[in-house]
Amino acid sequence: MSRVIHVFRQPDRFVAGTVGEPGDRTFYLQASEDVRTISVTIEKQQVVVLAERLGSLLEEVASRFGADVPDDAPEELLDVDPLTVPVEEEFRVGTMGLGWDAESKAVVIELLAMTEGEVDETVVLDDTEEGPDAVRVFLSPGAARAFAERADRVVNAGRKPCPLCAEPLDPAGHICPRQNGYRRDVDVLED
């Protein structure tokens, strides 16, 4: 079976979002263009890495190619709306790729489906017939900044950290290693 590459050259929307309560959230990346919407499941840490690498790529593109890259996300590109429902997973992201398309002056993000074996890096950002399914999104530098800013907000909207050990607090408290394993309630820590 040949691979499917979902390409979004001028997406109406590309966002990170979650489904579920803090502590039990599933992270998604969702791309929409016209009537087509694709959602892929991604790990929280992958969202963090993607946002960080986008920032680095934008700095590199500005210095090496003289591209017009905004320092902050343009206000009109900030997206605070929830994910488009229904959220139906196309695949779980395994490998990610980032690039710069000098011709269209766009950041290219490619998300490849998780596979059992190693992914040959030559399939990333390539249209080869064989390889894992993929989602490829082209973003203007401003849209890439807006994506990274939202991704940071989504990641940081989870559970508050324990003031003693910095581990995430559950609503029922948690066993804090700094307190020799005693369970601490959230109310006690907030006093």
Side-chain angles (χ1 to χ4, degrees), residues 98-117:
L98 275 180
W100 174 253
D101 182 17
E103 186 177 310
S104 63
K105 294 186 176 20
V107 172
V108 184
I109 300 170
E110 185 158 285
L111 311 162
L112 281 75
M114 186 175 282
T115 60
E116 297 210 2

Side-chain angles (χ1 to χ4, degrees), residues 5-13 31-34 36 101 103-109 127 135-140 143:
I5 302 175
H6 304 277
V7 179
F8 294 84
R9 290 209 175 270
Q10 296 180 328
D12 301 319
R13 186 173 198 222
S32 301
E33 189 172 9
D34 299 323
R36 181 174 59 129
D101 182 17
E103 186 177 310
S104 63
K105 294 186 176 20
V107 172
V108 184
I109 300 170
D127 292 332
V135 172
R136 187 177 299 152
V137 181
F138 290 75
L139 298 174
S140 69

Side-chain angles (χ1 to χ4, degrees), residues 40-62:
V40 293
T41 306
I42 189 167
E43 294 296 324
K44 178 180 180 179
Q45 194 57 38
Q46 288 176 299
V47 176
V48 171
V49 169
L50 182 57
E52 288 173 356
R53 298 280 165 86
L54 269 172
S56 298
L57 177 68
L58 289 172
E59 290 172 18
E60 179 79 13
V61 163

Side-chain angles (χ1 to χ4, degrees), residues 112-128:
L112 281 75
M114 186 175 282
T115 60
E116 297 210 2
E118 285 287 315
V119 173
D120 182 0
E121 64 186 47
T122 61
V123 303
V124 180
L125 299 172
D126 196 2
D127 292 332
T128 59

Side-chain angles (χ1 to χ4, degrees), residues 52-180:
E52 288 173 356
R53 298 280 165 86
L54 269 172
S56 298
L57 177 68
L58 289 172
E59 290 172 18
E60 179 79 13
V61 163
S63 67
R64 284 183 67 187
F65 301 108
D68 184 23
V69 176
D71 291 332
D72 296 311
E75 193 71 32
E76 67 276 6
L77 296 178
L78 292 177
D79 187 335
V80 295
D81 293 334
L83 294 172
T84 304
V85 292
V87 179
E88 296 173 353
E89 176 186 309
E90 186 73 22
F91 58 78
R92 179 172 287 281
V93 175
T95 303
M96 299 183 294
L98 275 180
W100 174 253
D101 182 17
E103 186 177 310
S104 63
K105 294 186 176 20
V107 172
V108 184
I109 300 170
E110 185 158 285
L111 311 162
L112 281 75
M114 186 175 282
T115 60
E116 297 210 2
E118 285 287 315
V119 173
D120 182 0
E121 64 186 47
T122 61
V123 303
V124 180
L125 299 172
D126 196 2
D127 292 332
T128 59
E129 291 286 324
E130 296 300 317
D133 289 353
V135 172
R136 187 177 299 152
V137 181
F138 290 75
L139 298 174
S140 69
R145 280 268 191 243
F147 170 85
E149 189 173 306
R150 177 184 169 124
D152 286 339
R153 278 196 325 271
V154 166
V155 166
N156 293 319
R159 298 174 287 172
K160 292 182 180 170
C162 171
L164 300 174
C165 70
E167 291 294 318
L169 284 172
D170 291 323
H174 80 126
I175 298 175
C176 182
R178 297 279 310 269
Q179 295 296 318
N180 292 328

